[in-house]
Amino acid sequence: MNVSDSLWFKNAVFYELPVRAFSDWNGDGIGDFRGLIDKLDYLQWLGVDCLWLLPFYPSPLRDDGYDIADFRTVDPDYGSLEDFRELLDEAHSRGMRVLTDLVLNHTSDQHPWFQQSRSSPASPYRDWYVWSDDPRRFPGARVIFTDSEVSNWTWDPAANAYFWHRFYSHQPDLNFDNPEVRKAMLEVVFYWLDLGLDGFRCDAVPYLFEREGTNCENLPETHAFLQELRREVDARYHGTRVLLAEANQWPSDVVRYFGPFGGAGAAPAPEFHMAFHFPLMPRLFMAIRQEARRPIVDILAQTPAIPDNCQWGLFLRNHDELTLEMCTDEERDYMYYEYARDPRMKLNIGIRRRLAPIVDNSRREIELMNVVLFSMPGAPIVYYGDEIGMGDNIYLSDRNGVRTPMQWNVDRNGGFSKAPPERLYAPLIQNPIYSFQAVNIERQFQDTNSLLNWMRALIQLRHRNPIFGLGGISFLSPANERVLVYLRRLPKSAHRPGEGPDELPGARCVLVVANLSRNSQAVELDLSNFAGWTPYEMFGEIAFPPVTTTPYQLTLGPYGYFWFRLEAPGGQFE
Ligand code: GLC
Ligand code: CA
């Protein structure tokens, strides 16, 4: 992929990782920048286009670094700012980009701004946070961390007032009504982008402003600030940086984070380049348990089209619980029943498990889930360790069970660190199925049949076929509901994203067929519009019988799948 393309992100494969968990260079038991630099060759081999680094700023670590005590440097546990710069250089020299987390909404209560703010009503920082004598204000705002917080207000004896927080009570919300706060946060943005960072994954963006009589989410004031953020970033860096929104909302609300727009074309006042598709994710898991395509088809039918220069971020798992906030009560009960029978597997409104354990370490299901994810409209994001099917530890607190050290090989500490095991920031996975002796990069690298080598092949196939990031989608409705079928098509005129005139490489029309059932299935497809065309199975480049006007019959093994490139007669594309 051409690195100078301004729309590079539409076809990128992202990789999310906590620096702390990836690789420990100096042997203190904590992953660091130098350790990550050492592993960039691995990530390049895998085919990663862009890293998303979880917060690495100084922090009391009561929310794994999302509680930031200083926005303008790195926590010495991970190295120096110089090491971070070198990481950027080393990633860029391998054609990889880097996003980091930008936490606008709140700080740690240890941040000097909050310490000043609470110290006296006369402090110039008093108005940087949201204080009140009355903890009944904004009753319409829900509590997000339902397992640990009962209210969004907490009494502060030092300030003699309540402060507002949407997350933990040690994470006071900044007061975005204060122009000084908005200015200070824009300066934080410039500070990192000036260092050469490629953009941000913007944390918790729906919650920046509060207004009485609302649920304090997605407010017009919040959107106005985010448009300003985008304007400033575009102006200063000439459209070279990317903003990805974490807005855990229903599709009709989340599309607003691309900016106000009506249908195709670009938004007149753009906000984010990308946003996670939160509602799709649980429905992928629901679909394979129900053996029914409906949850997936329905949620995509409810998803409005987005501007041409934007993209969805698609994921199966991430560093948080598998959130079920964007589910109905019934769907949520179903997901808990199927995937979280042990109460320890639940957290807040979600399930704190990794991909492999969720599907009982079923290789077929892991492949199927990824095949669907990688062929849906959007850019896929892989969570570290899921490329080898790492396990989790539900006996660790909060979301730490899915943040254990990366498993590199069978050496001490799974090759993660030379420290004595008891010094590690978290224990490695021990159980016999998922321990580092059984599941590690080195072993899977050598094994041509491993999940790791399969994931790499999937990523390569996706890179060779930009249609997956750029094409339209339409669903087929075969009688067999257990089989999910969709067409991806490039418009006739499709050329490279950005400005270039060259034709796009790869397929121009792809048919995806996915068996969501644990049993073999037969399906009949009406492909009469493609009579005379030949389907090529893309993983093996195998020609299948040509399509005719009679129903096209396919059989699929348990959780079986096909990606077919459809070619018009004579090998011509239409
Ligand atoms: C986001 C993060 C989560 C964090 C929260 C508060 O949801 O993904 O890990 O706890 O914001 O910052
Ligand atoms: Ca270290």
Side-chain angles (χ1 to χ4, degrees):
M1 171 122 300
N2 184 349
V3 185
S4 64
D5 260 337
S6 64
L7 294 180
W8 62 271
F9 58 88
K10 290 201 66 156
N11 260 317
V13 174
F14 291 75
Y15 189 93
E16 176 193 0
L17 73 104
V19 174
R20 144 178 303 260
F22 209 57
S23 180
D24 172 20
W25 179 260
N26 67 351
D28 65 354
I30 301 171
D32 42 48
F33 293 125
R34 302 220 66 84
L36 173 54
I37 291 171
D38 187 46
K39 300 298 185 190
L40 287 175
D41 287 340
Y42 161 70
L43 295 168
Q44 188 182 26
W45 170 84
L46 184 59
V48 171
D49 300 297
C50 184
L51 306 178
W52 154 27
L53 308 182
L54 295 175
F56 46 68
Y57 317 97
S59 161
L61 291 183
R62 295 177 68 194
D63 183 13
D64 213 22
Y66 282 93
D67 47 333
I68 297 174
D70 182 349
F71 285 110
R72 286 168 174 263
T73 187
V74 305
D75 192 299
D77 276 351
Y78 309 127
S80 63
L81 203 53
E82 212 27 67
D83 294 334
F84 176 73
R85 275 208 194 93
E86 196 175 325
L87 168 66
L88 288 182
D89 288 347
E90 292 288 334
H92 290 160
S93 73
R94 289 169 177 78
M96 272 186 254
R97 290 185 164 83
V98 183
L99 306 186
T100 64
D101 247 285
L102 172 69
V103 184
L104 293 166
N105 182 67
H106 45 264
T107 69
S108 160
D109 59 6
Q110 300 307 304
H111 196 291
W113 296 343
F114 187 73
Q115 291 299 325
Q116 297 251 6
S117 184
R118 83 196 321 184
S119 67
S120 141
S123 157
Y125 286 94
R126 184 62 161 200
D127 194 37
W128 281 49
Y129 293 84
V130 184
W131 296 103
S132 172
D133 297 331
D134 181 0
R136 286 167 306 183
R137 286 174 67 203
F138 314 131
R142 68 190 164 119
V143 170
I144 295 169
F145 285 168
T146 50
D147 282 359
S148 38
E149 301 298 335
V150 289
S151 164
N152 290 317
W153 290 107
T154 289
W155 175 254
D156 183 44
N160 214 15
Y162 294 92
F163 64 90
W164 178 252
H165 56 87
R166 290 310 303 269
F167 295 93
Y168 284 121
S169 51
H170 54 74
Q171 276 166 323
D173 275 34
L174 285 163
N175 176 15
F176 272 80
D177 274 315
N178 182 339
E180 285 177 47
V181 167
R182 298 199 297 270
K183 183 160 171 281
M185 293 315 284
L186 285 176
E187 274 161 13
V188 168
V189 166
F190 301 152
Y191 174 82
W192 290 101
L193 295 182
D194 283 351
L195 289 179
L197 188 69
D198 299 290
F200 294 106
R201 176 267 192 191
C202 302
D203 186 65
V205 287
Y207 315 110
L208 303 185
F209 284 78
E210 301 74 38
R211 288 292 178 267
E212 210 57 75
T214 74
N215 67 358
C216 301
E217 300 186 18
N218 316 319
L219 297 182
E221 293 82 354
T222 294
H223 282 293
F225 171 73
L226 294 170
Q227 284 161 28
E228 182 188 348
L229 166 70
R230 172 68 181 268
R231 257 196 325 273
E232 293 284 336
V233 168
D234 276 357
R236 207 168 151 124
Y237 306 98
H238 314 291
T240 58
R241 311 303 163 93
V242 163
L243 301 173
L244 160 61
E246 188 217 16
N248 189 352
Q249 301 287 329
W250 289 98
S252 54
D253 289 321
V254 84
V255 291
R256 291 278 293 104
Y257 288 86
F258 295 115
F261 66 97
E271 290 179 30
F272 288 90
H273 303 80
M274 296 184 71
F276 295 114
H277 202 313
F278 275 98
L280 173 62
M281 181 273 301
R283 287 171 181 82
L284 296 170
F285 289 95
M286 224 178 286
I288 54 166
R289 269 301 163 279
Q290 291 179 348
E291 304 196 346
R293 64 172 180 256
R294 205 189 160 137
I296 298 174
V297 177
D298 278 359
I299 202 71
L300 287 177
Q302 288 172 43
T303 303
I306 61 173
D308 297 339
N309 53 357
C310 294
Q311 186 61 298
W312 290 111
L314 306 178
F315 62 102
L316 295 171
R317 290 295 299 109
N318 63 17
H319 65 290
D320 286 326
E321 67 275 24
L322 189 169
T323 160
L324 302 174
E325 283 161 299
M326 295 306 124
C327 288
T328 63
D329 291 347
E330 205 186 354
E331 290 167 337
R332 200 172 295 133
D333 289 347
Y334 180 79
M335 288 290 288
Y336 281 141
Y337 178 75
E338 288 294 340
Y339 290 118
R341 298 215 179 157
D342 181 332
R344 282 184 180 278
M345 295 171 177
K346 296 183 189 171
L347 181 73
N348 300 320
I349 304 176
I351 300 172
R352 49 188 208 112
R353 303 180 71 191
R354 263 188 184 270
L355 176 61
I358 285 180
V359 295
D360 294 319
N361 209 23
S362 152
R363 169 77 179 267
R364 286 181 179 181
E365 284 169 84
I366 294 174
E367 282 191 17
L368 182 75
M369 295 290 276
N370 277 297
V371 153
V372 172
L373 190 85
F374 273 69
S375 59
M376 287 264 157
I381 301 159
V382 178
Y383 185 50
Y384 88 101
D386 281 352
E387 74 273 32
I388 52 171
M390 250 170 72
D392 53 34
N393 180 353
I394 57 169
Y395 296 92
L396 295 177
S397 65
D398 202 345
R399 290 146 292 174
N400 297 323
V402 301
R403 301 172 180 179
T404 62
M406 182 67 163
Q407 299 174 185
W408 295 100
N409 54 39
V410 294
D411 295 349
R412 173 162 40 151
N413 303 320
F416 163 73
S417 170
K418 297 249 183 299
E422 55 278 15
R423 201 179 159 189
L424 301 189
Y425 78 91
L428 276 124
I429 302 293
Q430 306 278 348
N431 82 61
I433 300 177
Y434 297 107
S435 71
F436 64 83
Q437 289 90 346
V439 176
N440 66 66
I441 302 279
E442 189 176 293
R443 181 167 160 181
Q444 293 200 20
F445 179 84
Q446 288 158 356
D447 173 0
T448 48
N449 286 313
S450 64
L451 176 62
L452 177 63
N453 275 301
W454 181 86
M455 283 294 292
R456 180 171 182 250
L458 181 74
I459 292 172
Q460 286 176 343
L461 202 49
R462 181 161 166 129
H463 280 150
R464 289 200 297 273
N465 293 280
I467 183 173
F468 291 117
L470 302 173
I473 186 167
S474 54
F475 289 94
L476 275 65
S477 323
N480 187 344
E481 300 267 347
R482 297 179 199 273
V483 184
L484 171 70
V485 191
Y486 46 98
L487 275 169
R488 304 294 318 273
R489 293 191 91 164
L490 280 175
K492 281 202 176 114
S493 59
H495 47 70
R496 289 186 174 280
E499 306 73 35
D502 333 354
E503 272 250 313
L504 282 167
R508 305 193 67 83
C509 182
V510 170
L511 176 72
V512 178
V513 187
N515 176 11
L516 303 167
S517 162
R518 63 181 63 90
N519 298 305
S520 297
Q521 297 290 328
V523 67
E524 291 196 341
L525 304 177
D526 176 2
L527 295 176
S528 46
N529 287 343
F530 296 95
W533 292 46
T534 305
Y536 286 84
E537 193 287 318
M538 294 169 75
F539 285 82
E541 268 304 308
I542 307 296
F544 268 52
V547 178
T548 64
T549 47
T550 55
Y552 198 80
Q553 310 213 355
L554 286 169
T555 51
L556 298 107
Y559 303 114
Y561 54 82
F562 294 114
W563 279 2
F564 289 119
R565 183 178 74 246
L566 295 182
E567 273 195 25
Q572 299 296 311
F573 298 125
E574 287 174 272

